[in-house]
Amino acid sequence: MTLAREELFEVLHEDEHLLVINKPADLVCHPTKGDVYSSLASRVRLYLGTEQAVHLVNRLDRETSGIVLVAKSEWAAAGIRKIWAKRRVRKDYLAVVRGKVETFFGVIQAPLGKDEQSVIAIKDCVREDGLAAATEFIRVSMFERNSEWFSLLHVRPETGRKHQIRIHMAHIGHPIVGDKLYGGDEQRYLRFVEKAQTLEDQKQLVLENQALHAWRLQFFWEGRNYQFIAPPEKRFLEFVGASWEEIGRQVQKDDFQEETASDPFVTGPIHPGTIKHPELLKIAEEFEKSEKMVGVSISKSGEVIGAATLACEGEAGLLKEIYLLPEFRRKGLGSRLLKALEASATKKGIYEVQVELPKTHRPFLRFLARQAYLRCEVFIQGGEKIVRLRKILSRLQQDS
């Protein structure tokens, strides 16, 4: 078998320093004893026309598809790996898991270490003396196939432990579809390695490869914000029953915010399905219709009590809505909601927020002044004096 250069892999981006690849499932990153096409590293050598060692900055499991970043020189590799070491990288995945994930937003905090009860040397597990690991997720959808329920999740690992997402999903009772190692019976993995997989194994796994895809990578390097996006493979989308345009539009609106057990108020993404109050629902529906908006919500005990949205234009945004239910006002939650919106805006590449208000709206003007918004203009609109304020936000490398 001979592959043309353009058939080796899908190239998402290439410049003098970086090569960004959308790795297919069922391709190992590390060199193997197979032919020149048997690993991503060997294919990169063919693509670049070099026999030198290649610098894979990040690596994915064999059956995980998605973004792999390659540095073309030792200088670039050293610089970018420093960013990884400092966790100044945002990595986003899509995962299809078994069962109905009832929680719309969740954080899994469970330490990981070697599974000493397993006969498989590479297998890890949740254990008290393991290394700290945290994974956040947002439910995208739930769907049924052959009388079994599945959930599509947008997942963001906050740490980078081996097999982290796969172990954490299995730990909460929702293993990733097609996962031979953590899907419930590790003997399936052994039979797969020994090329002795049965028809029953294939039936239980549902999919040929595990349904985990690294769809987005973001970082700041050498004075520039980088963002790469890779669509999942056709078979992934066919199983979910949605197009990449539909899924991509939704997950790019998602944002992850910090949650602590001692705090009853949680900030997170806007999702109409979790909102009951008419005023908040109206804000959420407007947010869903627009592709140029950033939005966040704040909840208590799973009920959304406030929301805020920002209309984006280039690197600037205009505050459209900020609303809290009356019984939750004057408790500092407005400030918290606005800060969450600003953090979300920064992650989307927005570095200036503007607000326009009637001059008679003095309480809210004072509130914005306390949040470091400065008056930059007063103008007449519809016979009324309008005050425009603005605030410059921190750049991504400071926010990471």
Side-chain angles (χ1 to χ4, degrees):
M1 179 185 71
T2 302
L3 295 178
R5 188 170 185 262
E6 62 272 14
E7 296 177 311
L8 294 170
F9 37 67
E10 179 186 357
V11 176
L12 300 172
H13 171 85
E14 184 175 8
D15 58 34
E16 61 179 321
H17 300 301
L18 304 176
L19 173 64
V20 187
I21 297 165
N22 187 6
K23 183 187 88 68
D26 203 27
L27 179 66
V28 295
C29 284
H30 305 272
T32 67
K33 294 180 180 179
D35 62 24
V36 292
Y37 304 116
S38 63
S39 74
L40 185 63
S42 59
R43 292 189 183 200
V44 170
R45 285 196 192 94
L46 287 174
Y47 182 87
L48 296 176
T50 179
E51 292 299 319
Q52 301 298 317
V54 297
H55 306 282
L56 302 185
V57 177
N58 67 308
R59 303 185 185 195
L60 299 176
D61 297 336
R62 172 178 182 158
E63 295 198 4
T64 300
S65 59
I67 299 173
V68 175
L69 180 64
V70 180
K72 290 186 175 181
S73 66
E74 291 186 7
W75 170 81
I80 295 176
R81 281 174 179 148
K82 287 180 182 178
I83 299 171
W84 252 256
K86 294 178 180 179
R87 295 184 184 174
R88 291 190 169 187
V89 181
R90 296 193 179 97
K91 298 170 285 184
D92 292 275
Y93 292 74
L94 286 171
V96 181
V97 300
R98 305 188 90 125
K100 289 183 176 182
V101 177
E102 302 291 351
T103 305
F104 172 67
F105 171 77
V107 181
I108 306 166
Q109 294 180 316
L112 304 180
K114 183 175 176 56
D115 187 345
E116 297 176 344
Q117 305 301 314
S118 175
V119 298
I120 301 172
I122 63 170
K123 189 176 183 183
D124 283 359
C125 66
V126 171
R127 49 186 294 173
E128 289 184 3
D129 62 346
L131 297 172
T135 304
E136 296 178 291
F137 67 85
I138 295 172
R139 190 189 68 229
V140 179
S141 65
M142 294 188 290
F143 56 94
E144 191 176 11
R145 297 285 180 271
N146 298 322
S147 302
E148 182 179 357
W149 281 93
F150 301 91
S151 299
L152 174 63
L153 305 180
H154 178 187
V155 183
R156 177 175 291 174
E158 291 301 318
T159 49
R161 310 301 178 200
K162 184 181 75 175
H163 300 167
Q164 176 177 316
I165 296 174
R166 297 164 62 191
I167 299 171
H168 275 174
M169 289 300 124
H171 179 62
I172 64 171
H174 296 286
I176 292 174
V177 174
D179 193 331
K180 301 172 181 68
L181 187 55
Y182 299 102
D185 181 0
E186 66 180 31
Q187 293 301 314
R188 291 197 194 107
Y189 174 79
L190 292 175
R191 287 193 290 271
F192 170 75
V193 171
E194 295 165 358
K195 301 187 185 306
Q197 201 175 35
T198 66
L199 290 175
E200 183 60 25
D201 287 336
Q202 294 173 14
K203 179 181 177 182
Q204 292 300 319
L205 289 167
V206 182
L207 294 177
E208 183 179 354
N209 296 303
Q210 63 197 27
L212 183 61
H213 176 73
W215 74 272
R216 182 168 63 185
L217 182 66
Q218 296 172 285
F219 59 93
F220 183 91
W221 180 60
E222 291 296 302
R224 175 180 169 186
N225 283 315
Y226 287 88
Q227 174 176 263
F228 304 112
I229 292 176
E233 294 180 319
K234 182 179 178 182
R235 54 190 167 183
F236 185 107
L237 297 170
E238 287 177 344
F239 183 71
V240 174
S243 68
W244 171 237
E245 287 72 21
E246 294 171 301
I247 297 171
R249 189 182 307 118
Q250 183 170 346
V251 295
Q252 289 187 62
K253 285 176 173 285
D254 286 344
D255 188 30
F256 293 87
Q257 302 293 337
E258 187 175 351
E259 177 180 14
T260 59
S262 60
D263 189 346
F265 298 103
V266 178
T267 53
I270 290 179
H271 191 273
T274 63
I275 296 175
K276 298 177 182 178
H277 191 276
E279 190 69 30
L280 292 173
L281 187 58
K282 180 181 175 183
I283 294 173
E285 288 173 346
E286 287 298 317
F287 170 72
E288 285 288 299
K289 290 176 185 176
S290 174
E291 295 185 2
K292 291 188 175 182
M293 267 197 184
V294 174
V296 295
S297 66
I298 188 165
S299 306
K300 182 182 181 183
S301 303
E303 181 179 351
V304 177
I305 61 167
T309 58
L310 189 75
C312 308
E313 192 64 47
E315 292 191 352
L318 181 67
L319 184 68
K320 297 295 290 183
E321 300 280 356
I322 179 165
Y323 182 85
L324 277 167
L325 298 185
E327 59 268 34
F328 293 101
R329 295 172 188 171
R330 299 184 183 279
K331 296 183 179 181
L333 297 178
S335 173
R336 183 164 170 177
L337 185 58
L338 187 57
K339 286 179 180 177
L341 183 67
E342 291 169 358
S344 181
T346 303
K347 293 173 184 178
K348 303 291 185 183
I350 305 300
Y351 305 119
E352 179 182 317
V353 176
Q354 295 186 3
V355 187
E356 294 179 357
L357 282 172
K359 196 172 182 181
T360 53
H361 206 327
R362 292 175 183 172
F364 196 54
L365 288 169
R366 286 196 294 269
F367 164 75
L368 290 171
R370 290 196 298 271
Q371 311 307 314
Y373 281 78
L374 304 176
R375 297 189 185 201
C376 59
E377 187 181 359
V378 178
F379 58 94
I380 304 296
Q381 181 176 293
E384 188 172 21
K385 281 189 177 181
I386 303 297
V387 179
R388 179 180 289 146
L389 306 94
R390 73 171 183 171
K391 180 177 181 179
I392 305 299
L393 305 180
S394 299
R395 294 263 165 179
L396 178 62
Q397 75 274 26
Q398 297 170 324
D399 177 58
S400 297

